[in-house]
Amino acid sequence: MKAAVITFPGSNCDSDIARVLSDFYSAKVDRVWHKDQFSEKYDLVILPGGFSYGDYLRSGAMAPFSPVMKSVKEHTDRGGKLFGICNGFQILAEAGYLPGALIRNRNLKYVCKTVGLKKASDSNKISGKLGKDQVLRVPVAHGDGCYFASEDIRKQLKDEGRILFLYADENPNGSLDNIAGICSPDFKVSGMMPHPERAMNPITGEMDGKTVLDLVIGA
């Protein structure tokens, strides 16, 4: 597998996800700076977590205008997979790849904790493979993670099986309908607020993040 991890000014999880892809999937990983473009055909492009451009304007709002996003669009136009984690999810929403917006947590506080995730339906081509009552434990770390979208959009996401994950035991940020992640209509683009790369440590036994990445990569 060949993968690209995009690094913006303020990205701080790019090294983590690059190492995970290399160590657990034997992937050839290229780190791509936001000012650069690429012509390489990748199996997967990842927008990592962090605070792109310092989140000074709005979380993820400036990154869509980076030169590298031209190459990202060419990648998705070819049918390549694109996955956004936390700030990467915010960027996908701001860039119009995914509907809705990620707004300030309802408690107005930064939240950093492990939460439960479950599938929304069997019809999701990525997470639908999970067991009916299976709950994955994956950390979140964000201040702007509340998923917001109109009722019509949320109904469409549900009807089309495009909700990637739901918060299972508690909703850490007030996301509408407990939505933790969503997908594009063709399921090639997906984003989620929790960090699967932070739940992939055999020493601690926290490995549910690998289940998440297995699903995303294998879809």
Side-chain angles (χ1 to χ4, degrees), residues 16 27 52-53 65 74 78 91 115 159-160 172 183 197 211 218:
D16 297 350
S52 57
Y53 295 93
F65 301 99
E74 293 170 351
R78 291 193 295 264
I91 294 171
V115 300
D159 291 346
E160 296 178 358
C183 308
E197 78 280 8
T211 300

Side-chain angles (χ1 to χ4, degrees), residues 45-103:
V45 171
I46 289 187
L47 306 182
F51 304 90
S52 57
Y53 295 93
D55 285 347
Y56 289 127
L57 177 62
R58 188 175 61 250
S59 294
M62 297 176 67
F65 301 99
S66 292
V68 74
M69 294 303 285
K70 180 178 183 293
S71 297
V72 171
K73 184 179 186 305
E74 293 170 351
H75 167 78
T76 57
D77 287 346
R78 291 193 295 264
K81 294 178 184 177
L82 177 61
F83 183 41
I85 302 170
C86 196
N87 190 237
F89 183 16
Q90 295 164 344
I91 294 171
L92 292 176
E94 291 285 345
Y97 283 94
L98 297 174
L102 283 306
I103 64 174

Side-chain angles (χ1 to χ4, degrees), residues 1 5 12 19 25 33 44 84 110 124 132 136 145 159 166 168 181 186 200 202:
M1 180 177 68
V5 176
N12 62 14
R19 185 180 66 252
Y25 298 95
W33 184 235
L44 174 68
Y110 184 88
N124 186 280
K132 179 181 178 181
L136 304 177
D159 291 346
L166 297 174
D186 62 1
M200 295 184 64

Side-chain angles (χ1 to χ4, degrees), residues 31-44:
R31 304 278 295 278
V32 183
W33 184 235
H34 73 116
K35 288 186 177 182
D36 298 329
Q37 296 186 18
F38 58 84
S39 57
E40 182 87 11
K41 292 186 178 180
Y42 294 105
D43 301 298
L44 174 68

